[in-house]
Amino acid sequence: GLGNVLTERTAKTLSYMTYENMRSYAEMESFIEESISEAVYMDVDVTAKFLFNRAHNVNDGVARKEENIEKLVSTAYHEAGHAVLQRYFGRKNEYVTIVSRGNYGGYAMADSKLYTEQDFLNQICISFAGRVAEMMCQRDFSESKIKNGINIGANADLQTASQMAYEYVCRYGFGENLLVVPKRFARQNGGYPEDVLSERDKEIIWERVRQVLNKQWEITRELLQEEWNSLNALAISLVIMKELDGEKVETIISSGEPYVEESCFINENRD
């Protein structure tokens, strides 16, 4: 029955996916009922994958089929890097996909945690993990397989890491910086209050931001090197499966063994 499909964890993942469009129990109930009707019409089973796919269609549009295997592999290692460090830092992975939709090529969804100084540092590492994993992937494959270098897919992640390092120093007084300039000192609405500081003070701030970023980058490299077997297993699974629920992701990372369903080879035209 549907109760076997819509487990507590599946329901939680769906709620994360549909938060922007469905914020009430009634809306979620309507979504489930419509999904069942669509499955009956299509003569397919109502699985967690079917529900996730339909939620994505509602939120982000239909999937784009990626023909470039090099890009697919890079994306798989990128998202695997995020997921591995999310688990390492105690954040529960809910869902990972390398299916391209809307304005993204894939994502690794996990619960959020951002309360302490260490949480900020951990999140910077998680943001860096996609780019670092891609670089490690290239290191381990011959030039005949990976020809064009790293891609621009980590752009948003790098901006996030830099923004968090800036807030770490300037907004919350973490590290050695105790000078947090009140927002009301900003020269214009929405501006940076640090603009009122001297050029020397600004240089000190940016130097501290760079120090935070450089240190977390090295930590990210070390951690992913230690977790390479798990990262590699998850990336291989993603290349073949394209998407994985949280339970499968956690199992792959903990075991270091890829997960592949037989149906992937029986039906090559799967969505």
Side-chain angles (χ1 to χ4, degrees):
L2 186 59
N4 295 327
V5 175
L6 196 60
T7 63
E8 182 177 350
R9 188 156 188 179
T10 299
K12 183 179 179 182
T13 301
L14 275 174
S15 71
Y16 280 133
M17 288 180 173
T18 59
Y19 177 74
E20 291 298 324
N21 296 321
M22 302 177 212
R23 300 197 179 188
S24 71
Y25 176 80
E27 288 174 319
M28 179 60 75
E29 185 177 38
S30 176
F31 169 81
I32 297 296
E33 290 175 352
E34 290 171 3
S35 298
I36 295 172
S37 297
E38 184 174 321
V40 170
Y41 177 78
M42 296 172 62
D43 193 24
V44 297
D45 294 332
V46 181
T47 63
K49 175 179 171 55
F50 179 85
L51 294 173
F52 293 159
N53 185 64
R54 193 167 184 278
H56 277 131
N57 288 343
V58 171
N59 293 337
D60 310 309
V62 297
R64 295 189 295 271
K65 189 171 182 179
E66 181 56 65
E67 302 288 350
N68 186 329
I69 186 62
E70 181 178 323
K71 184 176 179 182
L72 196 68
V73 170
S74 291
T75 302
Y77 276 87
H78 182 110
E79 301 306 338
H82 288 315
V84 165
L85 284 201
Q86 282 170 173
R87 183 178 188 275
Y88 182 89
F89 290 125
R91 292 177 56 185
K92 183 180 292 185
N93 284 295
E94 298 294 343
Y95 176 81
V96 182
T97 181
I98 61 169
V99 177
S100 178
R101 300 173 187 265
N103 61 357
Y104 64 79
Y107 65 88
M109 182 170 63
D111 56 2
S112 179
K113 185 183 180 188
L114 206 60
Y115 305 112
T116 69
E117 176 180 1
Q118 192 59 51
D119 289 338
F120 271 77
L121 297 175
N122 294 347
Q123 184 57 50
I124 292 172
C125 288
I126 291 170
S127 297
F128 277 151
R131 169 62 63 83
V132 172
E134 287 185 52
M135 294 171 67
M136 293 173 68
C137 165
Q138 292 190 38
R139 179 203 66 191
D140 277 47
F141 285 89
S142 67
E143 291 185 3
S144 64
K145 293 181 179 178
I146 303 292
K147 301 176 182 177
N148 299 321
I150 55 178
N151 58 50
I152 63 173
N155 174 47
D157 293 330
L158 297 178
Q159 290 189 47
T160 297
S162 297
Q163 181 67 36
M164 294 195 68
Y166 187 85
E167 293 179 353
Y168 175 93
V169 172
C170 295
R171 295 288 172 269
Y172 302 105
F174 291 143
E176 299 178 359
N177 185 56
L178 295 178
L179 175 60
V180 178
V181 183
K183 290 183 179 180
R184 63 187 180 87
F185 286 4
R187 289 173 175 163
Q188 59 185 13
N189 187 32
Y192 287 89
E194 291 75 32
D195 285 345
V196 303
L197 299 176
S198 67
E199 292 304 313
R200 174 57 181 157
D201 285 336
K202 292 177 185 177
E203 289 177 6
I204 292 173
I205 285 174
W206 284 113
E207 180 58 31
R208 287 174 175 164
V209 170
R210 278 192 290 269
Q211 288 173 357
V212 170
L213 291 172
N214 290 341
K215 182 176 181 180
Q216 299 314 113
W217 177 268
E218 291 304 317
I219 290 173
T220 303
R221 290 180 56 189
E222 292 171 4
L223 290 177
L224 289 185
Q225 185 62 53
E226 293 173 6
E227 300 290 330
W228 175 249
N229 287 342
S230 294
L231 193 161
N232 194 47
L234 182 54
I236 291 171
S237 303
L238 285 168
V239 168
I240 299 172
M241 295 288 293
K242 303 299 187 291
E243 58 185 343
L244 293 163
D245 63 39
E247 292 181 5
K248 292 185 180 68
V249 171
E250 299 293 318
T251 298
I252 293 166
I253 295 175
S254 61
S255 69
E257 297 291 334
Y259 172 86
V260 178
E261 292 177 357
E262 186 178 354
S263 59
C264 293
F265 303 103
I266 295 175
N267 179 15
E268 294 184 353
N269 294 319
R270 60 192 288 274
D271 292 331

